[in-house]
Amino acid sequence: MTDRSPWWTPHVHADRRPRLLARGRIKAAFRAAFDAQGFVEVETAALQVSPGNEAHLAAFATEMLRIDGERQPLYLHTSPEFACKKLLAAGETRLFTFAPVYRNRERGALHSPEFTMLEWYRTGETYERLMEDSAALLRLAAEVADIGRFRFRGREVDPFAEAERLSVSQAFRRFVGFDILDSVDEAGGTDRDALAEAMRGAGLRATPDDTWADLFSRALVERVEPMIGNGRATILDEYPAAEAALARRSPRDPRVSERFELYACGVELANAFGELTDAAEQRRRLLAEMDEKERVYGERYPLDEDFLEALAVMPQASGIALGFDRLVMLALGASRVDDVIWTPVAEFAP
């Protein structure tokens, strides 16, 4: 048992209910905005052959008992991305979904094992268009909530201000003290030792067993993320190619990919890609992600062969995943995502 009263206790629910009703109004406003632009709302199955193939995301595993008695392993998806891209291959051109998604080993103020992901995709349009979409949704959430600023843990953001656009290279030079692209070659390959030396020179820890990705993440979390999304939202753009397994390379600089993340009040809200449509390259990248997962966690997830087959006929597109609960949390002044989820996942004391 915990010391707190359960969320279903009448007096607790009465305190939570105004925010939950506001959540519904924000969702309705978002739906209307997408409808006005000719988007189709879709629903994707949560049970999938593969939950997704990101090295550091943990899934919930289950199985399906078939009518012949055979057991088929399945997973709860960590994102509806693969299913949405299959719909793009099928012929949909603009789609969005409010998808319940599931991620294991995640619980805290900004994380719930089950949460709502708002994803939307545009075929034939650049990922810069998604930056405009994101800014419009920040404004709309603030309008519905009738607030002028987002506030979280002592930070404030004006959701009506133009977002700052900052490349990862610029952010590292400004906040870490070196250019991350100095450790990336023209083919997108990474130089772990060069980055480790730069990290130590900047006063950051670099241990012998750290990979390039470990070092990149440490510098990002410790030096960059605390400095962005303050005063106004930040679009952190042009991630190194090694950190964008599902994104296509930038035509401007082959060392980086068409990926951006949206931050407000220091909180990561969204992750967007100019989508990769080369099925062979996608297979290579997903296998590399699973090799890393096996190295770090001792497990790997299967590839969705159906997804890779669909990718071969998917048109050029851009897509984005936004943590709906996090945005609602900021818009309504809550301190935890659980405060704006109608029925939070049960939490048991050890």
Side-chain angles (χ1 to χ4, degrees), residues 11-33:
H11 75 276
V12 174
H13 180 65
D15 289 339
R16 286 166 38 82
R17 192 168 185 269
R19 282 179 174 150
L20 298 172
L21 294 177
R23 172 194 175 99
R25 292 193 294 271
I26 293 172
K27 182 182 282 190
F30 283 13
R31 277 199 170 105

Side-chain angles (χ1 to χ4, degrees), residues 125-249:
E125 298 187 68
T126 68
Y127 81 133
E128 282 86 356
R129 183 67 179 84
L130 303 177
M131 299 178 188
E132 300 174 23
D133 291 341
S134 301
L137 292 181
L138 293 187
R139 293 192 298 269
L140 185 54
E143 289 168 358
V144 174
D146 194 24
I147 61 165
R149 301 187 77 79
F150 294 159
R151 293 181 173 87
F152 184 72
R153 293 180 175 173
R155 301 183 186 183
E156 295 188 3
V157 156
D158 179 354
F160 300 97
E162 182 179 356
E164 171 190 34
R165 184 174 176 181
L166 191 66
S167 73
V168 171
S169 173
Q170 291 171 324
F172 266 71
R173 282 184 274 129
R174 183 180 303 177
F175 302 124
V176 188
F178 61 83
D179 190 343
I180 187 65
L181 295 184
D182 287 343
S183 63
V184 181
D185 63 31
E186 292 295 317
T190 57
D191 186 332
R192 181 263 172 210
D193 292 340
L195 180 53
E197 183 178 353
M199 293 277 285
R200 287 189 287 266
L204 288 164
R205 180 169 56 89
T207 64
D209 59 344
D210 282 328
T211 65
W212 185 94
D214 294 332
L215 297 170
F216 172 83
S217 296
R218 183 173 301 137
L220 187 72
V221 170
E222 294 184 10
R223 295 285 180 85
V224 176
E225 288 185 344
M227 304 303 295
I228 60 178
N230 295 311
R232 57 177 174 155
T234 297
I235 292 169
L236 189 62
D237 189 20
E238 295 187 339
Y239 273 69
E243 292 296 310
L246 291 157
R248 58 179 173 251
R249 294 282 184 92

Side-chain angles (χ1 to χ4, degrees), residues 32 124 247 271 303 318:
N271 188 20
L303 301 189
S318 296

Side-chain angles (χ1 to χ4, degrees), residues 41 83 89 92 120 155 162 177 200 239 279 304 314 345:
E41 182 171 8
E92 296 297 334
W120 68 98
R155 301 183 186 183
E162 182 179 356
R200 287 189 287 266
Y239 273 69
D304 183 342
M314 188 184 112
V345 174

